[in-house]
Amino acid sequence: MTTQAPADICAGGTPRDAGAPEYLLRLFVTGQTPRSTLALENIRKICEQHLSGRYRLEVVDIYQEPQMASEAQIIAAPTVVKILPEPLRRIIGDLSDVNKVLRALDLKPQAAGCS
Amino acid sequence: MGSTRSGKTAPTVDSNPNQREQLPKTPTGIEGFDLITFGGLPKGRPSLVCGGPGCGKTLFALTYLVNGATMYDEPGVLMTFEEKADEVAANAASLGFDIAGLSAQKKIAVDYVRVERSEIEESGDFDLEGLFVRIDYAIKTVNAKRIVLDTLEALFSGLKNTAILRAELRRLFAWLKERGVTAVITAERGDGQLTRHGMEEYVSDCVILLDVVAYEQIITRRLRVVKYRGSAHGTNEYPFLIDDQGISVLPITAAGLAHKIVDGVVSSGVPTLDDMLDIGGFFRGSSVLFSGGSGTGKTTFASSFAAAAAQRGEKCLYFAFEESPEQIVRNMLSIGLDLQKHVDSGLLRFSASRPSTYGYEMHLARMNRDMDNFHPDVVIVDPLSAFRGSISEIHNTLMRMVDMLKSRGVTAVFTRLTSTQELHSGMDQGISSLIDAWVLLADLEVAGRRTRGVYLMKARGMSHSNQVRQYVMTKRGLRVIEGAFEGREEQSFPTIPLAKASNIRTAAKPKKRPTASRR
């Protein structure tokens, strides 16, 4: 429900005007499909838990901005692209497997999951 | 054979396939291909083009797309998974396709889909909406009627979850059908199945198999329509050709022996040779072979035939496999035959190439295309003996060549170099069955002199002289000397003017047997 506007959404925790954040993530969703909504919830949760204050999350709805899908080489949906830090990574799916997401973000998986 | 229909989906089949409404087709514009598929690819449905590496899948697909945009006013989308957009443009440029220009005119949209395994992590359920959105966007950009997905299978290397992938592919093809775009999907040939990832499961309307074989360093490309649901199609392996003019497929038409008979008689250009045949020449649309040893004037006879055709106002296509056209034109001037004026008038056209440059299939394909462009009445193939290889293969090539010519009603003249030893070898017998008239040119030794004799080995459908006649090549042309060769005419050399019977030398010699001995 949060991705009404196609415009980028800054998730909480972004340091205001404090230069570039350490992590730049862009989530590509397809409207408000359950999978997209779930992915957005999941990535928000993960970011808050592991990257609080160090990240910036942008959300792009490729139904609204289809040319973005081509520009960002999106095949699957939903997809989170880790733009910073390099190297670039794409995490596809509803992000329900947290450990895989963490691995792709170069973060240490937590043994006990996240809740 | 052609129409593979599953029983339940075909309630309207009636007994006469011609009465049945034809499946709508989308022409590819690929020469020959539209012919063997009776119109092209199934309209609004996906077709699969599969084959090993380097067999021309991408070029086939590109040609289909570019032809659509340029010839049929059907814009197209290229989703390329393996080559970047600029690489595709560069490759296409080698075929004379201006992808960049067509993109600028909004006739073609290219989207390069990069699938990089190392970048991708899968976490939870996903779908391929990203790809769908891109395809949809590209289709809308140019209002596409055609789409090429080259090579969709690249997805398999990037995505681990093949269960999702397969379900999504199924959805993709259903979606493409729904949109009514005519899709070409390329796929790599797999072991024991058509494609490596079983794409044929999803694309079942039309499957085309490309294949490339190398034999004695000569490459032959072949195309086969494996399946075409709801449509008849040629089932053979057809050779196809990729060169600077794009792709063309050579349909070895099901001509068989059902050639149309063209009436009429054509002159060989040597009146005295025509006289040996009781109809005064050769049948139009027949195939004539001039065979003989080296220096017996095979090319001269063939050239006379060509010149005679042009003289009659007919078009003649001369396939020269040993000499360059310039050389032939120059040499024929020495017997007073001016070929150049016929070349200038556009009635005579040469097509020269070394036989070893291409495989047999390629030659057939090229000849076919040249004939399509020129519509000749007479075709000269000089010489046949330039084709080398196994007897069965040559025989097969000739058979198809003859079929190709006959189905067009073209009068064909072949020359063939034969050495005396192989005169009656299997090869010649093989050729004999294919041709209608066989003129044998021979070096004869008569009374210690070398001279030339011509005789008709066979001439189907007409009675003909059984005599061996002497012929001479003079500045005024070829001339067969009338009457049985009796060794009277000794001066058979080009430099000496035509001999009179009352020659001094004749007196010196006793008369020989009425027919010449051949050794």
Side-chain angles (χ1 to χ4, degrees):
Chain A
M1 296 297 153
T2 39
T3 59
Q4 209 70 298
D8 295 351
I9 292 172
C10 291
T14 310
R16 314 105 272 152
D17 306 317
E22 190 182 344
Y23 276 80
L24 175 56
L25 306 177
R26 199 169 284 157
L27 172 66
F28 293 84
V29 295
T30 47
Q32 289 147 46
T33 54
R35 218 177 265 139
S36 296
T37 317
L38 183 57
L40 182 61
E41 276 170 23
N42 282 334
I43 192 69
R44 276 209 172 126
K45 215 182 287 175
I46 292 167
C47 287
E48 277 308 307
Q49 279 187 8
H50 299 270
L51 297 169
S52 188
R54 299 193 280 151
Y55 75 98
R56 178 183 158 88
L57 174 68
E58 299 169 359
V59 180
V60 176
D61 180 356
I62 55 173
Y63 284 169
Q64 306 284 332
E65 296 177 88
Q67 75 284 357
M68 289 292 282
S70 176
E71 278 166 32
Q73 286 294 353
I74 301 303
I75 303 160
T79 298
V80 173
V81 182
K82 182 191 73 162
I83 297 164
L84 285 174
E86 287 187 2
L88 186 135
R89 282 281 178 280
R90 299 163 196 280
I91 313 160
I92 63 177
D94 58 21
L95 311 178
S96 53
D97 188 336
V98 177
N99 282 344
K100 281 191 175 169
V101 178
L102 292 176
R103 196 191 313 150
L105 295 177
D106 287 323
L107 296 169
K108 280 192 200 91
Q110 284 181 336
C114 54
S115 64
Chain B
M1 192 76 210
S3 39
T4 40
R5 280 172 170 276
S6 62
K8 356 173 212 185
T9 56
T12 54
V13 184
D14 67 52
S15 51
N16 188 349
N18 294 330
Q19 297 283 302
R20 202 166 65 206
E21 198 171 302
Q22 267 288 324
L23 189 77
K25 306 269 173 92
T26 293
T28 61
I30 295 171
E31 240 176 288
F33 181 81
D34 294 342
L35 212 62
I36 59 175
T37 50
F38 304 103
L41 298 170
K43 191 182 181 71
R45 287 153 188 267
S47 296
L48 181 66
V49 177
C50 49
C55 69
K57 300 183 290 289
T58 301
L59 286 183
F60 183 96
L62 265 181
T63 310
Y64 158 75
L65 209 60
V66 170
N67 285 349
T70 55
M71 293 160 65
Y72 303 105
D73 197 23
E74 290 198 354
V77 165
L78 172 63
M79 302 298 290
T80 166
F81 292 78
E82 289 182 334
E83 292 173 305
K84 288 184 187 162
D86 51 341
E87 289 169 352
V88 170
N91 290 353
S94 69
L95 286 178
F97 297 154
D98 178 15
I99 299 277
L102 289 167
S103 305
Q105 295 169 48
K106 295 247 172 205
K107 286 185 169 173
I108 282 188
V110 184
D111 189 2
Y112 165 54
V113 184
R114 196 166 65 100
V115 186
E116 180 58 58
R117 173 69 253 171
S118 62
E119 281 178 8
I120 300 173
E121 185 69 63
E122 290 170 34
S123 168
D125 271 358
F126 62 91
D127 55 35
L128 291 186
E129 272 300 299
L131 184 62
F132 279 66
V133 164
R134 289 168 75 169
I135 293 175
D136 182 63
Y137 181 67
I139 289 178
K140 281 181 180 150
T141 314
V142 294
N143 191 21
K145 301 280 181 286
R146 300 174 177 217
I147 184 167
V148 166
L149 300 164
D150 178 48
T151 298
L152 200 52
E153 280 179 319
L155 290 174
F156 282 91
S157 66
L159 302 172
K160 273 190 241 160
N161 192 334
T162 49
I164 290 184
L165 182 50
R166 289 186 179 278
E168 285 296 279
L169 287 182
R170 206 174 288 281
R171 185 164 74 94
L172 176 65
F173 294 128
W175 179 71
L176 287 173
K177 262 192 204 181
E178 213 173 274
R179 304 211 46 153
V181 288
T182 311
V184 167
I185 291 100
T186 63
E188 196 91 350
R189 183 92 203 246
D191 280 335
Q193 53 182 357
L194 278 176
T195 60
R196 200 181 286 167
H197 297 284
M199 300 294 284
E200 60 271 27
E201 272 179 55
Y202 312 107
V203 188
S204 46
D205 291 293
C206 177
V207 179
I208 296 147
L209 184 62
L210 305 180
D211 155 22
V212 49
V213 287
Y215 176 74
E216 288 190 348
Q217 299 169 355
I218 288 172
I219 299 287
T220 300
R221 297 171 190 278
R222 296 180 303 192
L223 175 149
R224 185 157 65 96
V225 181
V226 180
K227 179 174 183 181
Y228 201 143
R229 182 176 283 176
S231 167
H233 60 87
T235 51
N236 294 338
E237 280 198 314
Y238 301 96
F240 75 97
L241 185 66
I242 299 176
D243 64 7
D244 53 342
Q245 294 177 48
I247 292 189
S248 51
V249 178
L250 169 66
I252 308 300
T253 40
L257 292 174
H259 308 305
K260 55 179 178 220
I261 298 292
V262 198
D263 276 334
V265 177
V266 291
S267 165
S268 66
V270 184
T272 42
L273 173 63
D274 296 341
D275 288 346
M276 292 175 76
L277 302 152
D278 79 334
I279 60 165
F282 295 95
F283 282 118
R284 188 180 288 280
S286 67
S287 40
V288 182
L289 172 68
F290 289 95
S291 80
S294 57
T296 49
K298 298 178 295 296
T299 298
T300 312
F301 273 98
S303 298
S304 301
F305 216 113
Q311 209 73 56
R312 291 191 297 273
E314 294 174 10
K315 288 203 266 186
C316 177
L317 186 54
Y318 196 123
F319 291 101
F321 291 122
E322 250 173 28
E323 291 175 272
S324 71
E326 293 76 21
Q327 198 178 346
I328 294 173
V329 168
R330 185 200 64 197
N331 292 353
M332 288 312 121
L333 273 178
S334 72
I335 60 152
L337 201 56
D338 183 6
L339 295 178
Q340 189 59 46
K341 71 175 181 204
H342 299 310
V343 173
D344 294 341
S345 73
L347 288 171
L348 175 61
R349 187 181 287 181
F350 282 97
S351 172
S353 58
R354 280 274 175 205
S356 55
T357 319
Y358 311 101
Y360 298 113
E361 307 291 355
M362 289 287 219
H363 274 293
L364 288 174
R366 282 175 59 94
M367 290 174 75
N368 195 53
R369 192 178 57 196
D370 287 351
M371 283 192 269
D372 272 348
N373 293 339
F374 190 55
H375 301 291
D377 301 287
V378 174
V379 162
I380 314 272
V381 179
D382 180 31
L384 272 183
S385 36
F387 292 93
R388 284 169 208 286
S390 72
I391 286 187
S392 70
E393 200 178 353
I394 293 178
H395 187 254
N396 187 28
T397 307
L398 287 185
M399 188 166 67
R400 283 159 54 185
M401 199 186 287
V402 168
D403 276 354
M404 194 167 85
L405 293 160
K406 286 212 165 178
S407 63
R408 293 164 183 268
V410 168
T411 310
V413 176
F414 304 99
T415 69
R416 177 169 158 72
L417 174 71
T418 36
S419 60
T420 8
Q421 297 97 298
E422 65 169 37
L423 203 59
H424 295 288
S425 69
M427 186 68 227
D428 273 6
Q429 282 165 26
I431 293 178
S432 171
S433 70
L434 295 174
I435 55 155
D436 300 310
W438 187 353
V439 182
L440 209 72
L441 307 172
D443 262 328
L444 305 174
E445 192 193 297
V446 177
R449 275 187 166 276
R450 183 172 170 270
T451 180
R452 293 173 172 127
V454 53
Y455 104 63
L456 281 154
M457 191 83 121
K458 71 183 240 182
R460 282 179 181 154
M462 62 182 110
S463 61
H464 55 85
S465 165
N466 287 321
Q467 292 169 338
V468 175
R469 294 192 184 175
Q470 191 188 7
Y471 64 95
V472 291
M473 290 189 256
T474 72
K475 277 181 188 157
R476 284 183 292 144
L478 258 177
R479 202 174 83 100
V480 175
I481 292 160
E482 267 171 71
F485 178 41
E486 294 180 37
R488 285 176 288 126
E489 309 270 355
E490 299 292 312
Q491 300 78 3
S492 53
F493 301 96
T495 45
I496 301 173
L498 281 182
K500 298 278 169 305
S502 60
N503 198 287
I504 321 153
R505 287 180 205 160
T506 349
K509 291 189 179 69
K511 275 201 173 178
K512 289 271 168 182
R513 336 158 266 290
T515 44
S517 62
R518 207 152 28 88
R519 296 196 176 110

